[in-house]
Amino acid sequence: MTTKVAILVLVLVVAVAARQALYYAAGPSGEKDCSPIAPPVTSASSSKESGSGSTDGDLQWAQRGGRINDVSCLNPTPIRGIVNVQDADDVRRALAFASRSGLKVSIAGARHSQGGHAFAADAVVLDMRRFNRMSLNEATRLLTVQSGATWHDIQNFLHPRFAVKAMQSTDLFTVGGSISVNAHGMDHQAGSVGGSVRSMHVMLPDGSVQTVSRTEQPELFRLVVGGYGLFGIILDADIDVTENVVYRSGRETVDYRNFVTFFKDRILRDPSYRLMYGHLSTSPGSFLKEMLVYTYKDAEGLCRSSAASPCG
Ligand SMILES: Cc1cc2nc3c(=O)[nH]c(=O)nc-3n(C[C@H](O)[C@H](O)[C@H](O)COP(=O)(O)OP(=O)(O)OC[C@H]3O[C@@H](n4cnc5c(N)ncnc54)[C@H](O)[C@@H]3O)c2cc1C
């Protein structure tokens, strides 16, 4: 009797596993459900949007009800609505509304996080992308930037004299979304984005604004960097910028077993290597054995000049 039950259970497990395997191996049965996607930001960063969306008191609703999705289109999530944020008061009002209504709040930057974790069901979603003003103190090389600005906005603003010190490998993302995951980039000397953040203004759920840095409320600072928006809403950040330097690109094929030695002996020893990343081969002959390492060297030797140290 026990053997029969065991066989029955085994057959059931195999049948379920086979069904799932076939499901995952099958081609798509239709078009990807990619709606709604984030509409492009069209309004000027300095003017209040009007005419689109409806208001709730002073809330600027870009969308009521419906769903939100991230860039993968795989995570449609039903929400209470999307509120456009253009200043800190918009955030405060949305937090108060959510608190009154017993709703959760989610924060949307460029919506490029793809794990389905960025949006809570039935949440009030803050669309931060219009919250993107910035100013630069050239003497201290400090950029003060609102959290909805993208690295693309910032690079355009800083060019030609300065550049972002630490960011991802592309410039699509918002400052808030990048600090919240403590993103890494190609600059192994600069490290992750959090390393270039000197201080931030963070709004807590009660609407109060806190200044956080490594010396002022250091614990909250550490929690917010890489905190996925769970500890407060980043309003703006002071981030280090660096001199804009011309790089010369190079490529090298490396056996993956030699990569650590290659990195230690070549890249780390020579500070003129400013950026680098590697791709493992997906070619059948060298599948996951070879790496193509891309390097970017300081073409003008500026970073080696310790007197000026413009790239520090
Ligand atoms: C093509 C592609 C390339 C990538 N390359 C890299 C890479 O090179 N290095 C790397 O590290 N990562 C990389 N990523 C991942 C990317 O850095 C993260 O997904 C990042 O969070 C995206 O930023 P976003 O503006 O889209 O944020 P969103 O996806 O909109 O939000 C991400 C998280 O940040 C929180 N958040 C957003 N704004 C705020 C705010 N103002 N205050 C508090 N919390 C906030 C949200 O709550 C959410 O949890 C890549 C992703 C893609 C799709």
Side-chain angles (χ1 to χ4, degrees):
M1 184 63 183
T2 325
T3 317
K4 277 187 184 163
V5 171
I7 290 172
L8 191 63
V9 169
L10 188 66
V11 168
L12 274 173
V13 168
V14 170
V16 170
R19 190 164 161 267
Q20 284 306 104
L22 283 175
Y23 173 74
Y24 287 124
S29 55
E31 284 298 306
K32 214 176 190 182
D33 176 8
C34 221
S35 60
I37 49 171
V41 177
T42 47
S43 63
S45 63
S46 56
S47 63
K48 270 261 181 195
E49 192 179 68
S50 61
S52 73
S54 54
T55 59
D56 187 325
D58 277 336
L59 288 189
Q60 291 286 333
W61 290 100
Q63 175 187 321
R64 278 181 181 274
R67 295 180 301 165
I68 194 167
N69 215 330
D70 62 37
V71 74
S72 72
C73 303
L74 295 173
N75 298 297
T77 308
I79 49 166
R80 187 56 63 102
I82 301 177
V83 172
N84 283 335
V85 169
Q86 294 190 53
D87 56 41
D89 279 339
D90 291 337
V91 179
R92 191 176 284 111
R93 278 191 289 268
L95 288 174
F97 168 77
S99 171
R100 276 197 310 275
S101 316
L103 297 170
K104 291 185 177 154
V105 173
S106 293
I107 316 159
R111 306 183 199 179
H112 272 64
S113 290
Q114 301 174 66
H117 55 288
F119 309 117
D122 202 28
V124 175
V125 179
L126 305 181
D127 184 341
M128 304 299 287
R129 295 172 302 155
R130 291 163 187 79
F131 190 53
N132 60 0
R133 295 171 189 84
M134 62 191 89
S135 63
L136 175 69
N137 183 331
E138 292 200 10
T140 56
R141 291 199 187 147
L142 206 58
L143 180 79
T144 301
V145 59
Q146 291 178 333
S147 60
T150 62
W151 299 120
H152 184 79
D153 299 333
I154 296 174
Q155 294 282 38
N156 281 339
F157 179 75
L158 295 176
H159 189 78
R161 168 103 200 262
F162 295 102
V164 172
K165 194 167 180 184
M167 57 180 257
Q168 295 91 325
S169 50
T170 68
D171 63 3
L172 305 163
F173 316 107
T174 62
V175 168
S178 305
I179 296 175
S180 292
V181 301
N182 199 10
H184 64 87
M186 295 192 277
D187 188 333
H188 54 285
Q189 297 182 32
S192 56
V193 167
S196 65
V197 177
R198 285 208 213 163
S199 66
M200 293 177 278
H201 286 118
V202 175
M203 189 176 284
L204 301 185
D206 64 3
S208 64
V209 176
Q210 312 289 320
T211 306
V212 299
S213 69
R214 285 177 187 76
T215 52
E216 202 170 347
Q217 304 209 61
E219 188 182 4
L220 185 55
F221 178 84
R222 280 196 302 273
L223 290 170
V224 170
V225 174
Y228 283 86
L230 296 173
F231 299 93
I233 296 168
I234 302 164
L235 297 178
D236 55 63
D238 282 353
I239 59 175
D240 292 316
V241 298
T242 186
E243 200 83 9
N244 205 2
V245 174
V246 176
Y247 292 150
R248 180 172 294 117
S249 65
R251 283 190 303 179
E252 226 162 304
T253 306
V254 180
D255 186 305
Y256 81 98
R257 285 166 297 202
N258 300 331
F259 176 72
V260 173
T261 314
F262 174 85
F263 182 71
K264 279 187 184 160
D265 292 352
R266 282 275 296 284
I267 306 285
L268 280 187
R269 281 201 184 152
D270 182 350
S272 69
Y273 281 109
R274 299 299 302 179
L275 307 175
M276 77 107 223
Y277 66 101
H279 282 167
L280 278 165
S281 169
T282 50
S283 166
S286 55
F287 188 65
L288 301 185
K289 295 272 189 284
E290 274 180 4
M291 295 178 71
L292 194 52
V293 179
Y294 296 82
T295 57
Y296 295 84
K297 282 187 103 169
D298 168 13
E300 297 159 344
L302 283 175
C303 297
R304 273 176 295 223
S305 155
S306 57
S309 73
C311 306

